Amino acid sequence: MSLTERLQSLLVAVAALAGLGAGLLWPVGAVAGYVVLPALLVMLTAVFVRMDASHVGEVRQAGTLVAASLVLNFVFTPVLAWALGAGLLGDEPDLRIGLLLLLVTPCTDWYLVFTAMARGHTGIAAALLPVNLVLQLALLPVYVLLLGGRAAMVDAGTLVESVLLVMLVPLTLAVLLRVGVDRA
């Protein structure tokens, strides 16, 4: 485990505190609307560049583990997110959608750190990363529309377009970067 991976929790906490401090000290709200999407695209491009799709074949060899992972990630978690939102935030549709998005959106490679800490099979976990990420991004519009209820007042086309933008642009950039680096 690299130094960056070991310090990842600390770095995220420092970044969150820095963002909170900047928001309290300066009027960054108007500018933030222009920064969030490009920052998200850069972050996802970095995640996609690091992925090694050659290991995806290993997923087939761990049938029970993969099945459990898919059920937990794509059935149990969205249902739990909906239940928590309905039970705790029933009168606050915006907060319900926020909670739903928080719980069903991809967490990139955090689970690799936890798998390593638990002395799990990090090879299979790494092989599941691209599968999980693509499925989570592709299913996000479905979750928002089905589980968000009347709180999800977003046109289905707009939601699908946004998810495709946030998935295809970084994936394309990552592929181009990897090909460019390999040729250089």
Side-chain angles (χ1 to χ4, degrees):
M1 187 180 307
S2 71
L3 178 63
T4 304
E5 289 172 334
R6 286 191 299 239
L7 295 176
Q8 196 167 21
S9 298
L10 178 63
L11 294 172
V12 168
V14 168
L17 289 173
L20 181 60
L24 292 173
L25 295 174
W26 301 290
V28 296
V31 176
Y34 298 105
V35 174
V36 171
L37 182 61
L40 180 62
L41 293 176
V42 168
M43 181 187 71
L44 286 173
T45 300
V47 169
F48 285 142
V49 163
R50 289 182 31 197
M51 275 195 239
D52 186 2
S54 66
H55 295 291
V56 173
E58 295 175 27
V59 169
R60 291 187 210 131
Q61 299 168 353
T64 305
L65 179 65
V66 170
S69 172
L70 294 177
V71 168
L72 282 171
N73 285 328
F74 304 111
V75 178
F76 177 76
T77 299
V79 170
L80 176 65
W82 173 82
L84 286 172
L88 300 173
L89 306 168
D91 295 346
E92 300 293 333
D94 293 339
L95 291 177
R96 284 181 50 214
I97 288 292
L99 178 67
L100 178 68
L101 291 174
L102 177 69
L103 292 177
V104 301
T105 51
C107 68
T108 62
D109 60 352
W110 273 92
Y111 74 91
L112 294 177
V113 174
F114 297 129
T115 301
M117 288 171 56
R119 295 187 179 99
H121 194 297
T122 54
I124 293 172
L128 269 172
L129 180 63
V131 174
N132 281 338
L133 187 58
V134 169
L135 282 174
Q136 286 173 335
L137 287 171
L139 290 173
L140 181 61
V142 175
Y143 294 146
V144 170
L145 293 173
L146 289 179
L147 302 176
R150 64 177 170 71
M153 293 182 280
V154 178
D155 175 43
T158 302
L159 190 58
V160 170
E161 179 183 322
S162 297
V163 170
L164 288 176
L165 168 74
V166 171
M167 187 167 69
L168 291 180
V169 169
L171 184 59
T172 303
L173 289 172
V175 168
L176 292 173
L177 283 169
R178 285 188 80 142
V179 167
V181 167
D182 288 344
R183 287 187 181 171

